[in-house]
Amino acid sequence: MYKYSEVLDSVCLDNLYGNDTEYALQMFEIYVDMIEGQCSSLLDAVKAEDRELVRKMSHKIKPVFTMVGLPRLTKLSEQIEKESTIGSIEWLDSHSGELYQEVVGTLPAIKTEIEQLKKIS
Amino acid sequence: MIKTIIVEDEIMALKSLEKLCKKYSELDLIGMYENGEDALESIKSAEVDLILLDIDMPGMSGLDLVEKIPNLPQVVFTTGNTEYAYEAYEYDITDFLKKPISPDRFKKAIEKVNETLEKRNAVSLASEMHELYIKTDGKYIRLGYPDILYFENVGDYIKAITSHGTYIFHDTMKSLDSKITNPRFLKVHRSYIINMQWIKDFKDNTVVIKDKVIPVSRAYKSVLLGSINLI
């Protein structure tokens, strides 16, 4: 079984991809292509105080993090989705910002993982 | 093959489902749509057996979409929120998957799809063996095979003569002949398909069913003779 980086939740990734590293690689590459843009859109929606859009955006990106071994960000998105209709804008702003920072911070690890996966696929 | 479409607005989930579908040779992935509106157009114009359907999409939601499909095929809902589960099961769906979807969970869903398909096929086969439904006067009428004496072609229509009445419906003899699965039915002329259990007698190029003398074409006579127990 392929060993993922310790930064990522390998149990979660093994459950999703098993030995299919080509499948994992495809998902990781899509993630890198789109996640920053989607998190920026979430931040913009919070800034615009568009709660429905915040709900939709956080709902949309929620499962994506688990697919690259970052289930804690799935939980954070879930919290944002839940608070989108009732939470304060300040809360949404700080947590969306936290999510964005986490995404940016973990991107190098994801990119390294892509390189590793390319070597064996 | 199970003609399958995916309706999903999130690209990773869409690609993931595509990948999972390709693991199953019985699934024929005929389309992928990012919104309900496009999917609905496709479902109206093509035969679809299975929809892998996201619930929460911009515009038409997955639940809105199933409301608009007249003859709902099998549906497996995919969603990030289990809170939709209760509402989703109101639609007699085959399964409900929470994203991200693991291969093991997807496998179970496909097993359920296959089981449902087998049940539906069994029911359909049982019906095919015993009856025909014809559309006449805006409704479907059941004709049990034993009650049908013969079919007669009348222009663009077919007349079904049964023991309890005569019915006229729109079809061609060729199409009707292909739909009848009961081996007791035989085409004896380009305009007649008869139920052999009602034959009273026959001679030369005719058979008599009740009091109706039905012509037998030369081309079909040998088939008729080969199908009856001549002593």
Side-chain angles (χ1 to χ4, degrees):
Chain A
M1 184 78 86
Y2 174 77
K3 286 238 181 263
Y4 291 93
S5 155
E6 286 178 6
V7 179
L8 308 175
D9 186 325
S10 58
V11 175
C12 154
L13 292 170
D14 288 342
N15 278 341
L16 268 179
Y17 304 119
N19 286 319
D20 196 344
T21 50
E22 190 195 325
Y23 175 24
L25 174 62
Q26 195 182 1
M27 293 299 115
F28 275 58
E29 285 181 327
I30 296 172
Y31 174 85
V32 167
D33 282 346
M34 60 85 180
I35 197 61
E36 232 181 312
Q38 292 208 342
C39 285
S40 288
S41 302
L42 175 63
L43 277 176
D44 290 345
V46 173
K47 294 266 185 292
E49 301 189 14
D50 185 341
R51 289 177 178 273
E52 181 54 18
L53 190 56
V54 171
R55 187 193 71 76
K56 283 183 175 167
M57 290 300 301
S58 51
H59 172 80
K60 194 172 177 177
I61 58 175
K62 189 172 62 174
V64 156
F65 299 113
T66 305
M67 299 188 80
V68 292
L70 298 168
R72 68 178 188 281
L73 299 190
T74 292
K75 282 195 180 130
L76 184 52
S77 319
E78 201 166 55
Q79 278 181 294
I80 295 168
E81 185 188 0
K82 276 182 188 157
E83 292 294 324
S84 60
T85 48
I86 51 167
S88 69
I89 292 297
E90 290 73 28
W91 189 96
L92 291 172
D93 190 39
S94 74
H95 285 76
S96 301
E98 184 190 337
L99 181 70
Y100 185 79
Q101 290 307 318
E102 282 270 3
V103 164
V104 172
T106 48
L107 267 180
I110 301 285
K111 287 177 180 170
T112 305
E113 203 64 48
I114 288 175
E115 293 311 311
Q116 294 301 318
L117 286 164
K118 276 181 180 168
K119 282 180 191 166
I120 60 155
S121 292
Chain B
M1 294 291 275
I2 301 168
K3 290 192 174 66
T4 305
I5 63 167
I6 301 171
V7 190
E8 171 63 71
D9 68 312
E10 200 282 302
I11 184 69
M12 270 180 85
L14 184 72
K15 290 284 177 190
S16 164
L17 282 167
E18 181 188 14
K19 185 87 181 171
L20 290 167
C21 282
K22 285 182 176 168
K23 289 176 188 263
Y24 295 86
S25 56
E26 69 265 44
L27 299 185
D28 178 14
L29 189 57
I30 59 169
M32 297 196 288
Y33 305 93
E34 292 182 23
N35 60 67
E37 289 82 358
D38 289 349
L40 185 60
E41 284 305 307
S42 155
I43 293 162
K44 280 179 181 170
S45 61
E47 195 181 311
V48 174
D49 304 312
L50 171 65
I51 311 176
L52 301 170
L53 179 59
D54 184 21
I55 292 181
D56 205 348
M57 294 182 290
M60 189 189 289
S61 76
L63 296 170
D64 293 336
L65 179 61
V66 292
E67 285 277 0
K68 291 184 190 312
I69 301 171
N71 296 312
L72 195 64
Q74 290 198 64
V75 174
V76 172
F77 273 125
T78 62
T79 179
N81 276 0
T82 48
E83 69 189 44
Y84 293 118
Y86 179 78
E87 203 178 341
Y89 275 108
E90 295 281 296
Y91 292 95
D92 191 27
I93 59 164
T94 303
D95 208 350
F96 184 96
L97 300 175
K98 188 171 185 298
K99 291 186 274 188
I101 302 157
S102 71
D104 285 349
R105 186 62 189 82
F106 190 75
K107 185 180 175 200
K108 281 184 188 157
I110 299 306
E111 282 168 3
K112 283 188 190 178
V113 168
N114 281 321
E115 281 166 20
T116 305
L117 192 67
E118 275 172 29
K119 278 183 204 161
R120 288 185 184 179
N121 284 346
V123 171
S124 169
L125 186 64
S127 174
E128 279 175 27
M129 294 296 290
H130 296 99
E131 65 214 2
L132 277 177
Y133 281 83
I134 58 164
K135 193 174 184 184
T136 181
D137 293 335
K139 59 185 174 185
Y140 286 95
I141 293 177
R142 179 185 174 280
L143 301 181
Y145 280 134
D147 301 330
I148 301 166
L149 279 64
Y150 61 90
F151 294 101
E152 182 180 355
N153 181 222
V154 189
D156 292 337
Y157 292 85
I158 304 284
K159 200 155 71 169
I161 290 83
T162 76
S163 57
H164 48 74
T166 298
Y167 303 91
I168 295 176
F169 57 100
H170 189 267
D171 207 344
T172 64
M173 287 305 266
K174 189 178 177 186
S175 160
L176 176 66
D177 196 25
S178 70
K179 290 172 199 159
I180 298 173
T181 53
N182 189 310
R184 298 291 284 163
F185 282 76
L186 194 66
K187 191 174 182 184
V188 293
H189 185 275
R190 62 186 161 80
S191 297
Y192 290 93
I193 295 173
I194 63 166
N195 183 351
M196 292 196 298
Q197 85 175 46
W198 286 93
I199 294 176
K200 193 166 140 191
D201 57 60
F202 78 94
K203 66 172 185 177
D204 301 330
N205 294 323
T206 58
V207 292
V208 177
I209 289 184
K210 277 216 163 170
D211 296 325
K212 170 78 174 177
V213 179
I214 294 170
V216 177
S217 306
R218 259 189 300 174
Y220 295 109
K221 190 175 178 182
S222 59
V223 182
L224 174 66
L225 292 174
S227 305
I228 55 177
N229 190 14
L230 272 179
I231 297 173

